[in-house]
C-alpha cells in the first residue's frame, strides 16, 4: 500500500518536472536553451523557433545548427508550416571514442500554424551559420489595411 | 542554460579567467571524441561568424567564446512566439593531457564548430622495443 503510494507520488513529481522543463525556457524573463541533459526533451524541441509578425509577412527564425542544407525541407499549407531536415552524427567517431555526446543527431520535423493564411507561393528561405530564416508573406486578404475615416458634419 | 562564463566550466583550474562584466551566456552543446591522434570537439554555435569566435588553450584549459550577434536581435513586440534569444556562447574544458598548440585546427560550418586538438608528441602512445643482449 505504502509502496504504491510512493510510486504514484514519484510519478506525479516526474510529470510535474517534465512540464516545468518543457515550459520553462522563459522563466526569469530571459529565453533559455532547454537542457540537453534531459533525455528526450531537447530532441523533441529541435529546432527552436522564433516567429515575428512584420505586418506584411511573418518572419520565422529557426535555430538549426549542423543541418545539411540539402536535407532541409519546408512545406506550407494555407496557414501551417512544416520544417524538416536531418542532422548527421559526427563522421568517423566510433561509439567507444565518445567522451561527451550532447548534440543529438537524426531526422527532425516541426510543424506550427500561423495566425493567418499565407501566400504559399512567395515563401523564401535562407540558411546561414546554422540559422534558417524563412520569410512568409501573408495572403492578400490577411494583410493589414489602413482605412480612411470619412469626416461628415 | 544561462550562466556566468566561469561558472559554466566543467572542472576547470582556479586560475581560469572570470567574466569581468555580468553578461548572459549560453553553454553550447558539444560532442567530444577521442582518437589516437587527438581530441575532436564539435560545438553547436548557431548564428556565429568566424570573426565573433575566440578559441584559447591556456594551462590545459580550452576556452570557447563566441560573441552574440546582435544584428539578428529585434527588440520589439513583433514576436508572436519566442523560443530562443541571441546571447554569447561560452564554455571551458579542462583538457586531459598535453595538446600540440601549433597544430590545432578549427572549422566553422553551418553553425557547428569543429575543433581538432592533436596530442602533443610527448604523450602519444609509443612502442618500446626490447633489446636482447
Amino acid at each position: 500500500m505504502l509502496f504504491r503510494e510512493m510510486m504514484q507520488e514519484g510519478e506525479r513529481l516526474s510529470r510535474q518536472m517534465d512540464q516545468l522543463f518543457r515550459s520553462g525556457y522563459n522563466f526569469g524573463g530571459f529565453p533559455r536553451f532547454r537542457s540537453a541533459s534531459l533525455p528526450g526533451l531537447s530532441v523533441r524541441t529541435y529546432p527552436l523557433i522564433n516567429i515575428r509578425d512584420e505586418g506584411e509577412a511573418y518572419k520565422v527564425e529557426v535555430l538549426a545548427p549542423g543541418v545539411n542544407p540539402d536535407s532541409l525541407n519546408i512545406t506550407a499549407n494555407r496557414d501551417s508550416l512544416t520544417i524538416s531536415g536531418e542532422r548527421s552524427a559526427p563522421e568517423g567517431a566510433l561509439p567507444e571514442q565518445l567522451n561527451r555526446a550532447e548534440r543529438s543527431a537524426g531526422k527532425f520535423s516541426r510543424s506550427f500554424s500561423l495566425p493567418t493564411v499565407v501566400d504559399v507561393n512567395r515563401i523564401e528561405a535562407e540558411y546561414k551559420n546554422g540559422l534558417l530564416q524563412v520569410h512568409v508573406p501573408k495572403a492578400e486578404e490577411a494583410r493589414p489595411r489602413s482605412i480612411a475615416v470619412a469626416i461628415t458634419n | 542554460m544561462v550562466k556566468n562564463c566561469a561558472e559554466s566550466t566543467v572542472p576547470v583550474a582556479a586560475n581560469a579567467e572570470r567574466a569581468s562584466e555580468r553578461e548572459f551566456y549560453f553553454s553550447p552543446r558539444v560532442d567530444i571524441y577521442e582518437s589516437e591522434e587527438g581530441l575532436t570537439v564539435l560545438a553547436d554555435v548557431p548564428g556565429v561568424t568566424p570573426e565573433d569566435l575566440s578559441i584559447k588553450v591556456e594551462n590545459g584549459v580550452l576556452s570557447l567564446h563566441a560573441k552574440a550577434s546582435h544584428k539578428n536581435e529585434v527588440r520589439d513586440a513583433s514576436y508572436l512566439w519566442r523560443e530562443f534569444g541571441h546571447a554569447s556562447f561560452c564554455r571551458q574544458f579542462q583538457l586531459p593531457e598535453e595538446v600540440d598548440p601549433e597544430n590545432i585546427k578549427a572549422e566553422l560550418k553551418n553553425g557547428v564548430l569543429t575543433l581538432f586538438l592533436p596530442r602533443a608528441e610527448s604523450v602519444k602512445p609509443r612502442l618500446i622495443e626490447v633489446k636482447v643482449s
Side-chain angles (χ1 to χ4, degrees):
Chain A
M1 188 63 200
L2 183 70
F3 179 70
R4 199 202 285 164
E5 268 172 25
M6 271 166 65
M7 287 298 280
Q8 280 173 347
E9 185 65 20
E11 207 173 294
R12 202 168 57 85
L13 188 71
S14 105
R15 227 179 5 246
Q16 280 175 348
M17 289 292 280
D18 226 38
Q19 274 171 357
L20 187 72
F21 281 109
R22 214 171 295 160
S23 64
Y25 57 86
N26 218 357
F27 55 89
F30 198 84
R32 295 168 184 205
F33 275 127
R34 293 168 204 213
S35 174
S37 59
L38 297 163
L41 286 180
S42 58
V43 175
R44 210 175 301 157
T45 53
Y46 188 91
L48 295 180
I49 54 168
N50 280 351
I51 306 171
R52 269 184 19 238
D53 187 343
E54 292 187 327
E56 302 277 294
Y58 297 106
K59 187 78 154 191
V60 181
E61 223 181 346
V62 185
L63 199 67
V67 174
N68 177 7
D70 298 329
S71 77
L72 272 173
N73 208 347
I74 302 170
T75 51
N77 179 16
R78 269 182 64 80
D79 66 344
S80 73
L81 213 63
T82 302
I83 293 164
S84 60
E86 189 168 2
R87 201 162 118 106
S88 48
E91 256 171 66
L94 299 169
E96 63 267 29
Q97 293 179 328
L98 277 171
N99 276 344
R100 233 165 241 272
E102 299 167 356
R103 303 165 63 248
S104 50
K107 288 188 175 160
F108 61 85
S109 174
R110 230 185 135 178
S111 296
F112 47 91
S113 55
L114 295 161
T116 64
V117 180
V118 299
D119 189 344
V120 180
N121 297 317
R122 288 174 45 231
I123 295 175
E124 283 166 27
E126 192 198 8
Y127 184 64
K128 200 182 159 197
N129 293 332
L131 271 175
L132 173 69
Q133 311 257 12
V134 193
H135 181 79
V136 189
K138 292 182 189 173
E140 195 54 53
E141 65 268 25
R143 291 196 193 167
R145 235 158 275 245
S146 64
I147 289 126
V149 180
I151 304 161
T152 49
N153 285 318
Chain B
M1 298 296 261
V2 181
K3 291 170 196 167
N4 187 292
C5 177
E7 282 167 4
S8 76
T9 56
V10 181
V12 78
N15 57 6
E17 207 178 291
R18 272 200 95 83
S20 52
E21 64 213 87
R22 262 198 88 73
E23 204 189 331
F24 283 113
Y25 289 98
F26 286 135
S27 175
R29 291 186 206 168
V30 297
D31 280 354
I32 301 178
Y33 59 94
E34 192 182 351
S35 65
E36 248 173 58
E37 287 76 42
L39 286 168
T40 306
V41 179
L42 289 116
D44 281 348
V45 285
V48 167
T49 57
E51 301 84 66
D52 299 333
L53 201 63
S54 98
I55 304 158
K56 219 165 47 176
V57 178
E58 204 179 20
N59 301 330
V61 177
L62 166 70
S63 306
L64 303 177
H65 190 271
K67 271 214 315 274
S69 49
H70 289 293
K71 39 191 181 284
N72 289 324
E73 189 85 322
V74 183
R75 291 185 182 277
D76 60 21
S78 66
Y79 280 101
L80 299 173
W81 183 259
R82 194 160 186 204
E83 291 179 346
F84 65 91
H86 299 272
S88 299
F89 289 102
C90 188
R91 199 157 175 188
Q92 291 177 309
F93 295 98
Q94 177 86 57
L95 294 172
E97 53 198 16
E98 288 292 313
V99 296
D100 179 3
E102 300 299 314
N103 293 310
I104 294 174
K105 287 193 204 89
E107 192 197 10
L108 190 62
K109 197 185 161 199
N110 294 336
V112 178
L113 171 72
T114 307
L115 203 61
F116 177 66
L117 305 149
R119 254 178 243 261
E121 213 42 62
S122 59
V123 292
K124 270 194 187 162
R126 232 168 270 252
L127 197 68
I128 290 132
E129 246 178 90
V130 180
K131 278 186 193 142
V132 185
S133 55

